[in-house]
Amino acid sequence: MFSDDFLKILGAWQKGWREDQTVRLQLADELKQATLTLPNQFKQVSQPCYRKRFLHHGELFEIIMVDEKDEGLTSWTICQKYAENFKGLQTPGAVSAAIFEHTPTAHEVVVNICELWKAESFISAAQKYRDENGENADAIFHFKASQGEVILSAPLKGSEIVALTGASSPFDEL
């Protein structure tokens, strides 16, 4: 069920893409294919998921006015606090960051990494893969389920923004 190819692709996703969207899209395509045969128990989420997204000029129209910006596969978390702290308060070029809360439908869940780590069959396969020095095995074990990560194919919606983050001047200067 958890082939070396699946573990290699999952590890590559968790390793990241260093903000290179071309790499992200390639990894997303590979991951989507690799998860097609997973049992449904690993493609379910029964609670809201959260995502922090830095917002840049030109993106707000789709998110706020159209109430839908499709980004393909992206990582979300079941832990709101993790989303709030993810990558700090600001990033160069962003006007703000938003925390989105979304309860995914069944067809939006690509893989629930938390559920993988509850399955002995996954843990055994991952340990064997690591013992054999499988590519990207270190990334699989680096976070395990600690980030509450769920990979979804769900759009960002302004109506699902639950918080905005950023840095401002000290109160006295305001």
Side-chain angles (χ1 to χ4, degrees), residues 25-125:
L25 293 172
Q26 178 186 347
L27 290 173
D29 286 342
E30 292 174 5
L31 186 61
K32 196 166 194 173
Q33 287 300 312
T35 59
L36 287 176
T37 59
L38 282 182
N40 283 340
Q41 77 183 83
F42 304 115
K43 297 192 232 181
Q44 298 178 37
V45 179
S46 59
Q47 64 192 87
C49 294
Y50 302 90
R51 180 159 182 247
K52 181 178 192 176
R53 172 70 155 66
F54 288 100
L55 305 174
H56 298 84
H57 288 289
E59 296 180 316
L60 297 178
F61 182 80
E62 280 182 282
I63 294 171
I64 304 295
M65 301 304 289
V66 179
D67 200 30
E68 187 163 316
K69 179 172 176 50
D70 183 22
E71 296 189 307
L73 265 59
T74 52
S75 291
W76 293 65
T77 179
I78 58 172
C79 307
Q80 185 174 1
K81 286 289 180 204
Y82 184 84
E84 290 170 0
N85 294 322
F86 186 68
K87 293 190 178 182
L89 292 176
Q90 57 189 9
T91 193
V95 295
S96 181
I99 307 294
F100 296 85
E101 178 185 79
H102 178 73
T103 301
T105 62
H107 76 276
E108 291 175 325
V109 182
V110 176
V111 62
N112 184 336
I113 293 174
C114 301
E115 290 301 313
L116 290 175
W117 283 101
K118 291 178 184 176
E120 280 300 321
S121 57
F122 173 78
I123 294 168
S124 295

Side-chain angles (χ1 to χ4, degrees), residues 129-146:
Y129 186 70
R130 180 178 61 180
D131 292 346
E132 294 171 354
N133 296 315
E135 190 174 348
N136 304 316
D138 56 335
I140 294 170
F141 282 87
H142 182 73
F143 294 111
K144 293 186 178 179
S146 66

